[in-house]
Amino acid sequence: MKKESGITMAVRRVVGECSRRLNPQCDRRQFTSFSRHFFSTESGGDVVDTPRVKIFDRELKRKHRDRAAWLMSGSDQLLDSVADNLLDRLQDCKRNFPTALSLGGAGEAVRRLLRGRGGIEKLIMMDMSYDMVKRLRKLEENLSEENYETLYLVGDEEFLPIRENSLELVISCLGLHWTNDLPGAMIQCRLSLKPDGLFLAAILGGDTLKELRIACTVAQMEREGGISPRLSPLAQVRDAGNLLTRAGFALPGVDVDQYTVRYKSAMELVEHLRAMGETNALFHRNPILKRDTAVATAAVYQSMFGAEDGTVPATFQVIYMTGWKEHPSQQKAKRRGSATISFKDIHNQFGPSNNQ
């Protein structure tokens, strides 16, 4: 077993005591915050400094979250729909989850739409953006009817600053698809759960913004003679079940929803993406988008996908994932060869010849 350094052990002790209520008048130093270099479970729990592969620029994504905190205005119908559908899964569980963690993404929608589901007594709201956490803290004034304790934490999903076996529920609504090591982030979520704890996540799937991807590719080929990555790669539906299994979750479940949002123009879509914090954060990206390419993209989008009323559609594919931390009380598959009846007997009893 790898021996931890003294500073790592000290940080872990601090993490265990990090949950405390914040003063509404606090400044930046009063928010609980941890360095990303202390936390990772990439190698089965070993502490390492950075992920092996950098697909996304996490510092840029933090800035996007900072900007989104100021651009958000009231509720967002898309985020509300995704969060509400995700939280509906708590109503299917015949048990309570006293201590829960909400990770980044549409945290504000999760906080507002929870409405007592899951029997939560303590909710930890975490985001990598200080400005977003500050916004969440300010919005609590309008949710005084809730009877559970809410704590706020500035932290990174890639390096989860939470003690092992300390939570009953982890919720991530549209946040984990920006992590460089998605299986590693999910492993950390599993480690933070107590046995029989529940993991709920919603991530954007590969068909998201397919119209914008096509329009952007056509415009770049026409104006620049080639293409450069403008939209982030996203997980495919077929990969979601493997992600849950690889992360060690029991009883994995995956389902997909597709949302179509109509905008007045492609430019309005881009503004909405900025307000959600969902703009491009690829580590290797071309930081300059030529004006004529942007105008051509909007024109191609309108020409190829525009409706008679002048609006343009945008597709958002959302993959919902459910997994449980292992516990002896959970259902398990029977041992191979333990069946007491063969498929041949079933066919003979219920086959086509017996239905005539």
Side-chain angles (χ1 to χ4, degrees):
M1 182 176 179
K2 187 173 180 180
K3 186 176 181 180
E4 293 183 335
S5 64
I7 187 170
T8 303
M9 295 176 65
V11 170
R12 290 192 182 278
R13 287 196 296 270
V14 173
V15 170
E17 301 171 358
C18 70
S19 297
R20 59 183 179 87
R21 182 170 292 279
L22 301 175
N23 188 320
Q25 303 300 325
C26 66
D27 60 16
R28 179 182 294 266
R29 292 171 296 177
Q30 289 178 289
F31 283 94
T32 307
S33 180
F34 297 94
S35 169
R36 59 180 294 167
H37 298 286
F38 290 122
F39 305 98
S40 177
T41 55
E42 188 178 49
S43 302
D46 293 339
V47 178
V48 295
D49 284 342
T50 56
R52 296 172 186 171
V53 179
K54 285 190 175 181
I55 302 173
F56 303 113
D57 186 337
R58 295 291 290 174
E59 179 61 22
L60 177 60
K61 181 48 58 180
R62 182 190 62 78
K63 294 178 180 178
H64 288 172
R65 300 288 297 167
D66 286 341
R67 179 178 62 186
W70 294 99
L71 291 178
M72 286 181 176
S73 56
S75 62
D76 184 295
Q77 186 175 357
L78 174 62
L79 298 183
D80 285 0
S81 297
V82 175
D84 203 34
N85 285 342
L86 183 64
L87 294 174
D88 273 345
R89 285 152 177 78
L90 293 176
Q91 295 179 293
D92 299 329
C93 302
K94 297 180 180 180
R95 54 161 296 187
N96 292 332
F97 305 92
T99 306
L101 169 69
S102 175
L103 289 177
E108 186 271 333
V110 170
R111 175 71 176 87
R112 177 165 39 82
L113 298 173
L114 195 55
R115 296 170 183 164
R117 286 180 281 195
I120 294 173
E121 299 174 4
K122 179 186 291 185
L123 177 64
I124 304 171
M125 302 293 300
M126 193 189 94
D127 201 285
M128 66 188 301
S129 162
Y130 162 78
D131 288 343
M132 187 64 74
V133 172
K134 186 176 178 181
R135 171 185 168 83
L136 293 171
R137 183 67 182 86
K138 186 176 180 181
L139 291 174
E140 185 180 7
E141 301 171 2
N142 300 323
L143 300 170
S144 57
E145 73 280 0
E146 301 290 355
N147 57 2
Y148 54 81
E149 182 182 10
T150 307
L151 309 172
Y152 297 87
L153 179 66
V154 178
D156 195 330
E157 295 96 333
E158 290 189 344
F159 305 89
L160 199 62
I162 300 294
R163 283 190 306 177
E164 294 185 16
N165 301 309
S166 61
L167 305 170
E168 282 86 11
L169 173 66
V170 173
I171 303 171
S172 176
C173 185
L174 300 181
L176 285 178
H177 54 267
W178 290 112
T179 57
N180 287 300
D181 181 15
L182 181 53
M186 292 171 64
I187 289 173
Q188 293 181 73
C189 291
R190 178 179 59 81
L191 292 176
S192 70
L193 288 169
K194 297 178 181 179
D196 205 30
L198 176 62
F199 171 74
L200 288 178
I203 62 174
L204 293 179
D207 284 347
T208 297
L209 301 178
K210 59 185 179 181
E211 301 90 352
L212 182 59
R213 294 175 191 273
I214 294 172
C216 190
T217 299
V218 172
Q220 283 188 306
M221 289 295 295
E222 177 188 346
R223 298 303 173 95
E224 301 178 18
I227 60 174
S228 59
R230 290 292 176 187
L231 296 170
S232 301
L234 297 169
Q236 299 296 322
V237 177
R238 61 179 177 271
D239 300 324
N242 293 332
L243 285 170
L244 287 165
T245 303
R246 182 178 174 186
F249 285 106
L251 307 175
V254 177
D255 58 293
V256 184
D257 271 344
Q258 187 164 292
Y259 303 84
T260 301
V261 183
R262 307 202 71 86
Y263 298 91
K264 295 179 180 178
S265 66
M267 297 304 180
E268 186 180 52
L269 165 60
V270 173
E271 290 301 317
H272 187 206
L273 294 175
R274 288 176 178 170
M276 292 192 297
E278 293 292 337
T279 45
N280 184 17
L282 285 172
F283 193 81
H284 298 289
R285 66 190 182 281
N286 185 351
I288 300 175
L289 176 62
K290 297 180 180 179
R291 180 180 176 83
D292 58 343
T293 302
V295 173
T297 299
V300 172
Y301 202 131
Q302 184 70 46
S303 175
M304 295 183 68
F305 305 104
E308 294 182 358
D309 60 359
T311 62
V312 292
T315 299
F316 293 87
Q317 184 187 53
V318 180
I319 303 173
Y320 295 96
M321 297 186 291
T322 306
W324 296 82
K325 189 167 184 179
E326 287 188 351
H327 188 269
S329 65
Q330 294 171 354
Q331 298 177 357
K332 292 181 175 59
K334 295 290 185 181
R335 180 177 56 85
R336 186 184 179 115
S338 62
T340 58
I341 185 171
S342 68
F343 282 108
K344 182 178 180 180
D345 294 336
I346 294 175
H347 178 76
N348 291 337
Q349 183 174 356
F350 300 102
S353 59
N354 293 313
N355 293 331
Q356 296 178 354

